[in-house]
Amino acid sequence: MRPLRLSVVTAAATVAALTAVTGCTEKSSAKGGDGAIEVTATDSKCEVSKKEFPAGHVELAIENKGSKVTEVYILFPDDRVVTERENIGPGTQQKVTAEVKAGDYEIACKPGMKGDGIRQKVTATGSGKVAKRDPRLDKAVADYRKYAQEQADATIPLVKVFAEAVKDGDIEAAKKAYAPSRIGWERTEPVAESFGDIDPEVDARADGLEKGQKWTGWHALEKALWQDKKIGAEQKTLADQLVTDLTDWQKRVGKAEITPTSMANGAKELLDEVSTGKVTGEEERYSHTDLVDFKANVEGAQKAYELLKPVAQENDKTLTTELDKQFAALDTLLDTYRADKNSYDFVSYDKVGESDRKKLSDAVNALAEPLSKLATAVVK
């Protein structure tokens, strides 16, 4: 789930952590290449340097001049996500590369990472097609689409087991089924988030709700099981709705807009999810199953990277060497928190001390910085 929470670490420490994750500093320039679209975000504005640009590989050079953490999107007219970059701290800059076909879009900035955002209408001009790309990238997209569908298909039986335990009133069985039911979702979360409407229904946290939004999904049930320790009629209804919503996701995965750059940016988003939700313990605040989500996020990011690696390695061998090193280091570190490397039996996150959380955070940051360069390497 997207929203950044400041309750576990101080705001200053969070901004510092985000700077480390993104590989950006306050001194860095927001200026992109000659064809870059400069996006200046504040707490009340979202200014773009161009409202019309050629279709193809588009670079956003983003600068957050506001006081709130923000996120920036390129959106289709129906609010599906072309690409996004979350957790852009105040006073920092980021660059995002996306593949955009000819057509009308909106660029949205979301100060505070909430709401519909401040939007600018933009148009990509051209024949409606991007330049012909390397056939290996077409294969990477096809293979990733298959992977995303497999993860969704595998999730439905697991979430049904979870839902049935809830409806049976069996708290212990529901607790046991909870974390496994989330793995496929966490591995491919950027694809699910690209639809816009499913993520808030199934993965919202209590303090991430929009005004008037009813709390549904996994985390509402998580609270009932671990904190409230009771299952009532409302929870049984929520369990049925969770199955319905995730079945909708399963059916829509095949229609997701997936490109090589969205795969690369999605891998980076998964690391941001780890940094802002799992490392802090905010994602699974009642069950403390954060390390299960953590591992699934990393696996999803690594899958996208491995599919793109043949082209990225040819274009930037230094980058892929560093990514291989940092993925291996993070995997090795995660292995120390589970019974064996083939299981998802991780230690409860409330048992992980601050020094160990710092080690995990440092390992994520060391991976996220080079991973932020993957999209650029893919389209060189």
Side-chain angles (χ1 to χ4, degrees):
M1 182 62 188
R2 292 186 179 113
L4 172 67
R5 305 291 169 227
L6 302 182
S7 59
V8 175
V9 291
T10 65
T14 300
V15 170
L18 290 173
T19 299
V21 169
T22 60
C24 299
T25 68
E26 292 184 9
K27 296 179 180 179
S28 67
S29 172
K31 301 289 183 182
D34 291 340
I37 303 167
E38 294 174 17
V39 180
T40 303
T42 70
D43 295 345
S44 59
K45 294 181 181 180
C46 185
E47 298 175 343
V48 298
S49 62
K50 301 176 184 179
K51 293 193 176 181
E52 189 172 290
F53 48 84
H57 291 120
V58 174
E59 180 184 73
L60 299 185
I62 305 164
E63 182 172 13
N64 182 5
K65 291 186 175 182
S67 63
K68 301 176 182 178
V69 175
T70 195
E71 52 193 18
V72 173
Y73 296 76
I74 300 179
L75 299 168
F76 289 102
D78 61 2
D79 269 10
R80 285 179 299 126
V81 178
V82 178
T83 196
E84 63 182 297
R85 183 54 54 87
E86 303 172 0
N87 302 317
I88 306 169
T92 64
Q93 301 85 30
Q94 293 195 35
K95 295 175 184 176
V96 184
T97 300
E99 190 172 310
V100 181
K101 297 178 181 179
D104 294 327
Y105 300 89
E106 290 184 331
I107 292 178
C109 306
K110 293 189 179 182
M113 298 174 64
K114 284 191 174 185
D116 293 331
I118 305 160
R119 302 191 177 200
Q120 295 281 1
K121 294 184 183 297
V122 296
T123 300
T125 60
S127 64
K129 295 182 179 179
V130 297
K132 187 176 181 179
R133 64 190 179 205
D134 190 316
R136 292 175 296 177
L137 294 178
D138 287 329
K139 185 177 186 306
V141 169
D143 287 347
Y144 186 74
R145 188 180 297 279
K146 180 181 177 182
Y147 171 74
Q149 188 65 62
E150 288 172 345
Q151 295 304 309
D153 292 346
T155 295
I156 301 306
L158 294 173
V159 83
K160 284 182 177 178
V161 170
F162 172 61
E164 286 303 316
V166 172
K167 291 192 293 180
D168 287 344
D170 190 334
I171 291 178
E172 292 308 312
K175 285 182 175 181
K176 184 177 180 180
Y178 172 76
S181 76
R182 290 178 50 74
I183 292 172
W185 172 273
E186 292 290 340
R187 284 173 176 162
T188 59
E189 195 164 358
V191 175
E193 288 184 347
S194 72
F195 298 117
D197 57 339
I198 298 177
D199 182 81
E201 295 293 327
V202 305
D203 204 26
R205 300 196 294 262
D207 49 354
L209 299 175
E210 302 291 345
K211 186 176 181 180
Q213 179 185 348
K214 180 182 177 182
W215 193 17
T216 59
W218 270 301
H219 295 302
L221 291 166
E222 178 201 6
K223 178 178 181 293
L225 293 170
W226 272 273
Q227 180 169 294
D228 302 337
K229 296 180 173 57
K230 63 181 182 180
I231 296 173
E234 181 182 0
Q235 285 71 43
K236 294 177 182 182
T237 299
L238 288 178
D240 278 333
Q241 184 176 344
L242 180 63
V243 174
T244 298
D245 290 337
L246 288 170
T247 301
D248 181 28
W249 160 60
Q250 177 197 23
K251 292 176 180 177
R252 291 163 68 179
V253 164
K255 301 175 184 177
E257 186 78 14
I258 299 174
T259 66
T261 54
S262 75
M263 288 170 59
N265 290 330
K268 172 61 168 59
E269 289 163 26
L270 285 170
L271 265 291
D272 287 348
E273 288 279 341
V274 173
S275 178
T276 61
K278 282 68 174 185
V279 168
T280 63
E282 290 291 277
E283 181 79 3
E284 306 290 358
R285 62 191 66 175
Y286 311 108
S287 65
H288 306 300
T289 56
D290 302 87
L291 287 174
V292 176
D293 292 358
F294 190 138
K295 178 61 176 176
N297 283 157
V298 173
E299 286 176 336
Q302 190 161 11
K303 179 66 175 183
Y305 163 60
E306 292 292 345
L307 291 173
L308 296 170
K309 182 178 174 181
V311 173
Q313 187 170 38
E314 194 173 286
N315 292 337
D316 192 339
K317 191 173 186 347
T318 300
L319 177 64
T320 57
T321 298
E322 181 65 14
L323 285 169
D324 288 343
K325 173 185 173 183
Q326 298 302 339
F327 268 117
L330 184 53
D331 285 340
T332 298
L333 182 58
L334 281 171
D335 284 344
T336 65
Y337 297 95
R338 57 179 173 170
D340 67 77
K341 63 173 59 179
N342 297 315
S343 81
Y344 266 79
D345 184 15
F346 283 92
V347 65
S348 180
Y349 201 60
D350 59 336
K351 307 300 183 185
V352 178
E354 288 303 315
S355 62
D356 283 336
R357 293 189 184 198
K358 175 69 163 53
K359 290 177 184 177
L360 288 165
S361 178
D362 289 346
V364 171
N365 293 346
L367 172 58
E369 193 280 327
L371 197 58
S372 69
K373 302 174 183 176
L374 181 59
T376 301
V378 165
V379 301
K380 276 185 178 178

